[in-house]
Amino acid sequence: MRRVIVDCAIYRDGRRTEGPSDLAAALADARAAGDAFLWIGLHEPTEDEFDHVSAEFGLHPLAVEDALKAHQRPKLEVYDDSLFVVLKPVVYEPEGDTVRAGELMVFIGDSFVVTVRHGEGAPLHAVRERLEAEPAVLRHGPTSVLYAISDAVVDHYIDVAAELQVDLEEMEAEVFAPGSKDAKNTASRIYTFKRQVLEFRRAAGPLASPMERLAGAGVPFVHEHAQPFFRDVSDHLTRANEQVEGLDRLLSDILAAHLAQMGVRQNDDMRKISAWAAMAAVPTMVAGVYGMNFRHMPELNEGWGYPAVLLLMAGAVVGLHRLFKRRGWL
């Protein structure tokens, strides 16, 4: 258990205290104090490792199953003895311009908080430090932890959306830059970027409904005066979702514009090919006429016949070249 327990502490009157090492004794101590709660943080526990925790805290089997399997959508579920919240923090990796999502499960009870983290994208260490520096917030019990975690996750959504916006502007400048020729690679990069935006939407979009429920009244194990704080988180989440939806729309527009550019370039290439083919067809036709070897062809017996035919071919080609040049085909 020590391998998966990242941190464990009892918070009494908004301040951290070291309680018993045994989970059952620590929870009993927190409940006996009345104004205290136990916060235990786990990182990717196995089924056997989490069985001990779930048994001590009386967690619902369905919620335990979700916490162990991960790959869950953001959601909020209410059980008899606890509140179960799933969040998906995201991390932006500037080296590869990619978005990677983790998973964070939060169990809230009368005197305990259990957090289960999958991946590296959960900002729990910073959240715990920030809360420990604000005893007035921690005095509100487990609700303060849920609020702080939600607030940190959603605020990071906005930061990641800003990073993606910068990448999108750079891509847009490359797509519409004069002389851009790497069309195949550009289309691949746009599709890859859309996959990153989709990963972001899967994390942020479904979280809107749980935040709206927490911002309303009547959710068990949530402090009665916490609604304004969750409304603030919900507003920030709405802003993040609007940003990511705007990114997705712009990407679709950029892709459509890029495909239109490719179509225009292909049309220009076809016109050039057609123009050169037409200029080649005229001398070919003339040469074909004089290559039929008829006996009676008056020009064959004249001294000026050969240069006249060459002059006719050259004149026709020059005339067609000027015509196509004037019309923008060449």
Side-chain angles (χ1 to χ4, degrees):
M1 286 300 299
R2 292 183 180 275
R3 182 181 65 85
V4 298
I5 295 180
V6 179
D7 201 349
C8 179
I10 294 177
Y11 295 89
R12 180 177 288 107
D13 194 28
R15 299 190 180 277
R16 180 182 180 122
T17 61
E18 298 302 329
S21 58
D22 180 73
L23 293 180
L27 181 59
D29 188 11
R31 284 173 172 166
D35 61 346
F37 68 94
L38 173 66
W39 182 3
I40 176 173
L42 306 175
H43 180 237
E44 296 182 354
T46 64
E47 184 175 355
D48 293 336
E49 291 167 337
F50 198 54
D51 280 345
H52 177 63
V53 177
S54 61
E56 295 294 344
F57 290 90
L59 305 179
H60 197 279
L62 293 178
V64 171
E65 181 181 359
D66 289 344
L68 289 173
K69 288 186 176 180
H71 303 293
Q72 304 293 320
R73 286 169 54 88
K75 61 181 178 179
L76 168 65
E77 294 182 350
V78 179
Y79 297 101
D80 293 337
D81 299 324
S82 62
L83 187 70
F84 180 59
V85 181
V86 178
L87 304 121
K88 293 182 74 70
V90 295
V91 174
Y92 176 78
E93 297 177 345
E95 296 81 8
D97 295 334
T98 57
V99 174
R100 182 165 49 86
E103 290 195 45
L104 179 59
M105 287 74 171
V106 184
F107 295 87
I108 301 293
D110 55 348
S111 300
F112 68 86
V113 178
V114 178
T115 54
V116 182
R117 178 166 57 93
H118 294 269
E120 302 297 330
L124 288 184
H125 180 69
V127 170
R128 192 183 286 261
E129 287 186 342
R130 181 163 66 95
L131 281 174
E132 290 177 357
E134 300 178 355
V137 177
L138 269 176
R139 288 192 182 97
H140 292 88
T143 302
S144 63
V145 177
L146 179 59
Y147 159 71
I149 293 174
S150 304
D151 186 54
V153 169
V154 172
D155 283 348
H156 199 58
Y157 284 167
I158 296 176
D159 295 337
V160 172
E163 295 286 352
L164 291 176
Q165 181 67 40
V166 173
D167 290 344
L168 178 63
E169 291 173 356
E170 293 176 356
M171 179 180 294
E172 187 177 19
E174 292 180 11
V175 169
F176 296 105
S180 178
K181 299 295 184 182
D182 196 3
K184 183 177 180 180
N185 187 52
T186 298
S188 176
R189 289 176 57 242
I190 294 174
Y191 276 115
T192 301
F193 200 101
K194 283 184 73 69
R195 293 290 301 175
Q196 306 307 316
V197 173
L198 178 61
E199 185 74 13
F200 194 168
R201 294 186 67 175
R202 287 175 177 172
L207 187 59
S209 179
M211 286 299 107
E212 289 176 359
R213 289 182 60 188
L214 290 171
V219 180
F221 308 106
V222 175
H223 196 279
E224 58 182 0
H225 299 302
Q227 283 79 20
F229 298 96
F230 284 109
R231 277 198 296 269
D232 181 67
V233 176
S234 181
D235 290 342
H236 290 178
L237 179 61
T238 300
R239 175 185 168 189
N241 282 328
E242 289 176 349
Q243 285 181 290
V244 73
E245 288 175 4
L247 289 173
D248 190 56
R249 287 194 298 268
L250 284 174
L251 275 172
S252 297
D253 293 341
I254 291 174
L255 180 59
H258 174 65
L259 295 177
Q261 281 184 329
M262 291 181 61
V264 170
R265 290 172 185 169
Q266 289 176 348
N267 288 337
D268 289 341
D269 293 340
M270 289 302 298
R271 285 190 296 181
K272 290 179 181 178
I273 293 172
S274 299
W276 285 109
M279 288 187 290
V282 172
T284 301
M285 181 187 67
V286 175
V289 169
Y290 284 94
M292 291 186 292
N293 297 321
F294 287 114
R295 182 181 297 275
H296 300 289
M297 298 184 73
E299 296 85 356
L300 297 180
N301 298 321
E302 301 293 338
W304 50 264
Y306 182 68
V309 171
L310 292 180
L311 184 62
L312 174 64
M313 291 181 182
V317 171
V318 171
L320 287 174
H321 185 275
R322 295 184 62 182
L323 175 64
F324 291 140
K325 193 76 173 178
R326 190 182 309 116
R327 294 187 176 183
W329 284 37
L330 293 175

